[in-house]
Amino acid sequence: MLGGYAGKILDVDLETGELKDKMPDEEILRRYIGGKGLGLKLIYDEFRDDMQPFDPDNLLVFSTGPATGARVPTSGRFHVLTSKSPLTGAVGSGNSGGKWGPYLKFAGYDAIVIRGISEKPVYLTIIDGKAELVEAPEIWGMTVPAVTEELLNRAGTDPKKTSIACIGPAGENLSLISCIMNDEYRAAGRTGSGAVMGSKKLKAIVVSGNQRQKSANPEMLAEKVAESMSLIRENPVTGPKGGLHVYGTAVLVNIVNAHGAYSSRNFQQSYFPEADEQSGEKLAESYLTGTTGCWGCPIVCGRKSFVPDGPFSVKYTEGPEYETIFALGSNCGVKELDAVIKANHFCNEFGIDTISMGGTIACAMELVEKGKIPEEKLLGFNLRFGDPGAMVECVWRAAYKAGFGADLALGSRKLAEKYQAPEYAINVKGMELPAYDPRPIQGIGLEYATSNRGGDHVYGYTIPSELLGIPEKRDPYSTEGKPEWTIFMQDLGSVINSSVICLFTSFALGLPQYAGILQAITGMELDPEKLLKIGERITNLERHMNNRYGFNRVQDALPKRLTAEPTPAGPSRGQVSHVPEMIDKYYELRGWIDGVPTEEKLKELGIA
């Protein structure tokens, strides 16, 4: 067996209650590493073109990588995949930190494959190699903090060595923008994975154990880790004096706003005059109580925060992250950071993806602004841009599908379609866009359009080079070289998410460091070229599955607002996204025709 792996995959059939241990195929691990790659391959082996999101056969896969739980920087992550997302109709995909991923490895498993639908609500425990399904209708309906506390008490293990992944009421109620939470404040967000888990009547997974995986070459690993740690500490973004540690991800608020790419009012504008009031600096000044990080993380970008008093008071919470501040703040025209903190806290309690929640609220606000939603439908609900109370109220309404919340739970695309105004849903493939307006940042626009899971920024993160000049500066307004760079970052993202470590390491590390670490852990012969080819294989496998669902060039497109309506004001005034001018070059370099990999490309990569 290769180093770094637990050597077992747990197969769970919720309909029959049967639990089986399976050995991972070593050749699959060599070709797909783990994490995202392994999860995709497990789904592909049972793939059906006619799969529906809430079918019993829609697999829900939790997957770690060889670096998860190893003594390497930021090794506290795991990946979640579903055969079909209820939000997008494509393969569902999410990534989370905290400590749940390492604790699954310590419990003795590399991955969990969940199939079927339970008759009654259940939770799964995996403790030192022993797995058990427990009927528990009494915990159905609990919020994320409540069920986490309850199951930690029931586990009978050291709470410090135990971790809970679960859904909240939003997942139970099949909200299409629900997510899977772990360690209370970490989220495997995007694509509605919480709804898939809820459809299966699976409330939570408890993991604990003391098993440790051995690396193939401990001496080499120590050398590579020392090199990587040095690079991380010396980096101006990830180091102890870097922006991520000092201000968290919210350090980006003022940086992006100064470029004119901090969208507001449902992307009607690309600059927010009140950005200072919701920046990382403001968070630190008024609401911060401390910092926190995921398992094995030297960067420590997490924030501990509170709101001491007022209508949005919160005694203790974590976050909010940059994306959340944008989504629930500027994108809704809301400047009040205390309201954003409260809404983020509710999203964590109820298990809702903050980016999709904010994008859907913003879409609803514009629909109201444009007179598309009848007043009688709102029942007196004052849903207007800039209203912090209305924004916060939307979160719990969406979680419980209360009143207009039933429409919000659909996500922006289906909400706008319901009111016959699809142009107001700012999404790609049904997934709401994140916090970088693509009109003045050409590479990230191409990433949004071509990302397999929909409007995504982290699976092909071009922002460091385009805005921060890391590892080298690329003109954000220019389209030159952007197809090449987007492809590179997408394939690198597949490597990182399959390893599984944190994307933020890519500020400081490159392919030589990733290849060295993975070779030392696993014993595989890897170099940067071989590793990037694995990333390309993973990206193409996911694309191939989406093609079988009917996705092609048509879905690889930004909303018309971003390609036809120039930014109206601010530092980037007059800019539009040039994705239509870049996408043919992207396809040519990929070996795709109209968004579909050619037969030759699939054969080259060994994808049957």
Side-chain angles (χ1 to χ4, degrees):
M1 187 68 190
L2 296 168
Y5 296 95
K8 286 195 300 183
I9 296 172
L10 179 64
D11 191 285
V12 179
D13 189 325
L14 292 172
E15 183 176 354
T16 64
E18 187 176 17
L19 307 176
K20 291 181 182 178
D21 286 349
K22 296 182 177 180
M23 288 281 291
D25 186 313
E26 184 173 314
E27 183 59 27
I28 290 176
L29 299 180
R30 289 181 180 275
R31 295 172 63 78
Y32 293 96
I33 307 177
K36 180 182 179 182
L38 174 61
L40 285 170
K41 185 63 169 67
L42 292 171
I43 286 171
Y44 185 60
D45 288 345
E46 301 187 37
F47 195 79
R48 277 194 4 238
D49 296 3
D50 63 346
M51 185 74 71
Q52 296 303 314
F54 299 137
D55 282 355
D57 293 340
N58 187 9
L59 299 184
L60 175 63
V61 179
F62 296 77
S63 185
T64 68
T68 305
R71 295 186 181 276
V72 300
T74 74
S75 53
R77 304 193 72 84
F78 66 98
H79 214 82
V80 175
L81 296 116
T82 59
S83 304
K84 193 165 195 175
S85 158
L87 182 68
T88 68
V91 175
S93 184
N95 190 282
S96 186
K99 61 186 180 182
W100 192 89
Y103 286 19
L104 175 60
K105 289 280 286 286
F106 302 160
Y109 289 90
D110 294 304
I112 309 169
V113 178
I114 297 167
R115 66 184 75 245
I117 296 175
S118 176
E119 184 177 345
K120 298 179 181 178
V122 295
Y123 67 93
L124 174 68
T125 67
I126 309 173
I127 300 174
D128 264 330
K130 182 181 178 182
E132 181 183 4
L133 277 173
V134 182
E135 280 193 12
E138 70 279 2
I139 67 173
W140 199 253
M142 285 187 176
T143 63
V144 168
V147 77
T148 298
E149 181 180 11
E150 174 66 20
L151 295 185
L152 282 173
N153 290 334
R154 290 189 188 189
T157 55
D158 183 347
K160 294 182 179 179
K161 296 182 179 180
T162 308
S163 182
I164 314 290
C166 65
I167 56 171
E172 295 175 357
N173 292 324
L174 306 187
S175 167
L176 304 189
I177 56 174
S178 60
C179 60
I180 297 171
M181 303 296 300
N182 61 279
D183 306 305
E184 288 195 47
Y185 301 103
R186 300 292 178 227
R190 324 280 8 230
T191 73
S193 59
V196 175
M197 192 163 165
S199 75
K200 295 182 178 300
K201 293 290 192 292
L202 177 64
K203 179 66 175 179
I205 304 176
V206 182
V207 293
S208 182
N210 295 295
Q211 301 182 33
R212 293 295 188 273
Q213 290 71 45
K214 295 180 179 180
S215 59
N217 191 330
E219 294 80 12
M220 179 183 178
L221 181 60
E223 176 188 329
K224 296 299 180 183
V225 167
E227 175 194 357
S228 297
M229 283 295 294
S230 178
L231 291 169
I232 289 170
R233 288 180 178 135
E234 293 168 4
N235 186 271
V237 177
T238 59
K241 295 182 180 180
L244 283 176
H245 179 74
V246 176
Y247 293 115
T249 58
V251 70
L252 287 166
V253 170
N254 282 330
I255 295 172
V256 178
N257 195 53
H259 181 69
Y262 191 57
S263 297
S264 66
R265 298 172 66 90
N266 200 31
F267 284 80
Q268 293 183 80
Q269 298 163 0
S270 60
Y271 178 77
F272 194 53
E274 297 86 6
D276 275 343
E277 298 183 38
Q278 54 188 224
S279 64
E281 293 84 347
K282 180 65 175 179
L283 181 66
E285 175 190 331
S286 302
Y287 303 105
L288 197 67
T289 63
T291 61
T292 184
C294 301
W295 192 95
C297 180
I299 301 171
V300 190
C301 73
R303 307 291 95 177
K304 297 178 180 179
S305 56
F306 82 129
V307 177
D309 50 36
F312 306 119
S313 63
V314 180
K315 290 183 179 179
Y316 174 86
T317 192
E318 292 187 13
E321 302 293 336
Y322 165 66
E323 294 291 338
T324 300
I325 294 172
F326 146 77
L328 299 168
S330 68
N331 204 34
C332 295
V334 171
K335 67 179 185 297
E336 292 85 356
L337 188 52
D338 56 350
V340 173
I341 293 171
K342 183 71 171 185
N344 176 65
H345 186 68
F346 276 163
C347 285
N348 290 336
E349 277 198 332
F350 303 142
I352 298 177
D353 179 81
T354 59
I355 302 177
S356 282
M357 183 76 264
T360 303
I361 296 170
C363 174
M365 287 176 167
E366 186 169 4
L367 288 170
V368 170
E369 181 180 74
K370 298 296 197 299
K372 300 296 183 181
I373 298 178
E375 287 292 331
E376 59 268 22
K377 182 67 178 178
L378 297 172
L379 298 174
F381 188 28
N382 184 36
L383 193 58
R384 298 290 191 276
F385 283 118
D387 188 322
M391 181 275 292
V392 172
E393 185 172 346
C394 282
V395 179
W396 71 260
R397 283 180 176 271
Y400 290 99
K401 293 187 174 179
F404 186 67
D407 287 349
L408 294 170
L410 296 171
S412 65
R413 179 173 67 176
K414 291 184 179 179
L415 169 70
E417 288 173 348
K418 178 173 181 177
Y419 292 100
Q420 300 179 334
E423 65 273 19
Y424 298 125
I426 307 303
N427 73 92
V428 173
K429 301 179 178 75
M431 193 165 85
E432 292 72 20
L433 296 192
Y436 306 95
D437 194 305
R439 288 172 285 194
I441 313 176
Q442 297 303 320
I444 203 66
L446 187 59
E447 153 61 9
Y448 290 167
T450 60
S451 177
N452 287 327
R453 73 168 178 169
D456 166 80
H457 64 296
V458 292
Y459 287 7
Y461 196 43
T462 69
I463 293 300
S465 66
E466 292 192 282
L467 288 192
L468 305 178
I470 298 173
E472 59 186 80
K473 181 66 174 175
R474 287 174 169 80
D475 182 356
Y477 293 132
S478 173
T479 61
E480 184 177 353
K482 295 302 171 64
E484 293 88 344
W485 187 243
T486 302
I487 288 169
F488 175 81
M489 291 306 298
Q490 288 174 339
D491 293 345
L492 177 63
S494 288
V495 167
I496 292 170
N497 288 328
S498 300
S499 294
V500 182
I501 52 180
C502 180
L503 174 69
F504 289 160
T505 58
S506 65
F507 283 108
L509 309 182
L511 277 169
Q513 287 75 40
Y514 295 128
I517 287 171
L518 287 174
Q519 179 168 326
I521 293 173
T522 65
M524 290 189 276
E525 290 294 325
L526 290 171
D527 58 31
E529 184 179 354
K530 289 178 182 177
L531 193 57
L532 197 61
K533 181 60 70 173
I534 293 174
E536 183 186 7
R537 178 179 299 118
I538 293 165
T539 303
N540 276 264
L541 176 61
E542 186 176 22
R543 171 62 59 146
H544 178 55
M545 286 193 277
N546 284 349
N547 293 151
R548 289 179 57 180
Y549 283 144
F551 286 76
N552 52 42
R553 172 190 281 270
V554 173
Q555 289 77 25
D556 286 346
L558 295 181
K560 187 177 180 181
R561 169 169 291 168
L562 304 177
T563 57
E565 298 177 19
T567 52
S572 66
R573 186 171 184 265
Q575 296 294 316
V576 295
S577 172
H578 297 291
V579 163
E581 299 164 34
M582 295 185 284
I583 199 160
D584 284 334
K585 180 66 173 177
Y586 174 93
Y587 288 157
E588 178 187 345
L589 293 168
R590 272 284 185 209
W592 298 356
I593 296 175
D594 290 334
V596 180
T598 63
E599 187 175 338
E600 291 75 20
K601 174 56 68 174
L602 294 177
K603 286 181 179 178
E604 173 197 323
L605 296 171
I607 299 172

